Amino acid sequence: MSEEATRAMIESRGDFQNAVRGALAEAALVGCREIWLVDDDFAEWPLGEKAVVDDLTHWAAAHRSFTIVARSFDALARQARWVTWRRQFSHVVHCRANNELEAGQMPSILLVPGLLSVRLHDRVHYRGVATRDKADELQWREAIDAVLQRAAEAFPATTLGL
């Protein structure tokens, strides 16, 4: 989404994935303080792609926060690049799970406060919006906060065995 554009409609899976890629690339370039991601399971998100992991690596630094909330991390756990990145940058990554919501009730949101937001309203037909509108950011932040109220830590960076 160009800087002049305030809103861009998402009308396909490719549009959605490109919006996520673009948002994370811009966050890395600008160096924003925090990133929020919310989805049922992130199965359709391009988080395991090399370019996306490279952008996240460029973005990650001390005093930054990457919060990811899901119902289940099973699909994301199968994306080896992302899992490796998550382990390496565990000091900035916070994984939370909300198991109280039914499948499909969790919003699909990428929020980079002060910069841009992506929201998928219809997961079946991949309809949504990428926006720089502050009112959308505020509304979607409230939706994230509602999900976080009943979320618990999940998807540890490492697992300890006996």
Side-chain angles (χ1 to χ4, degrees):
M1 183 168 56
S2 70
E3 294 220 20
E4 301 82 38
T6 304
R7 297 173 70 88
M9 300 309 296
I10 295 171
E11 298 179 346
S12 69
R13 180 176 183 247
D15 286 353
F16 171 68
Q17 291 179 336
N18 286 335
V20 169
R21 288 180 192 108
L24 294 175
E26 189 171 342
L29 184 64
V30 172
C32 61
R33 188 176 168 280
E34 58 185 346
I35 297 174
W36 296 83
L37 276 66
V38 179
D39 191 66
D40 270 346
D41 58 12
F42 297 96
E44 300 298 323
W45 292 56
L47 298 178
E49 293 179 359
K50 183 179 181 340
V52 171
V53 171
D54 288 348
D55 286 335
L56 289 172
T57 300
H58 180 74
W59 168 84
H63 309 298
R64 298 226 168 129
S65 177
F66 184 92
T67 304
I68 185 165
V69 185
R71 285 184 60 251
S72 167
F73 286 97
D74 294 345
L76 199 51
R78 291 188 290 272
Q79 296 188 36
R81 276 191 195 101
W82 193 88
V83 171
T84 300
W85 177 83
R86 188 262 184 277
R87 190 175 309 121
Q88 181 178 0
F89 292 96
S90 62
H91 61 287
V92 298
V93 180
H94 312 282
C95 296
R96 316 263 310 160
N98 181 321
N99 299 322
E100 293 184 15
L101 296 176
E102 298 292 325
Q105 288 183 324
M106 181 85 72
S108 290
I109 301 171
L110 182 154
L111 181 67
V112 183
L115 190 60
L116 59 96
S117 310
V118 176
R119 180 152 191 185
L120 198 57
H121 297 290
D122 178 351
R123 287 187 197 118
V124 175
H125 300 102
Y126 291 95
R127 302 292 186 251
V129 65
T131 179
R132 296 180 188 281
D133 187 296
K134 299 300 178 200
D136 288 335
E137 177 183 324
L138 178 62
Q139 179 184 9
W140 299 350
R141 178 56 196 248
E142 289 173 358
I144 291 170
D145 287 344
V147 169
L148 279 172
Q149 288 178 8
R150 292 191 168 21
E153 288 186 39
F155 196 44
T158 60
T159 55
L160 300 174
L162 296 176

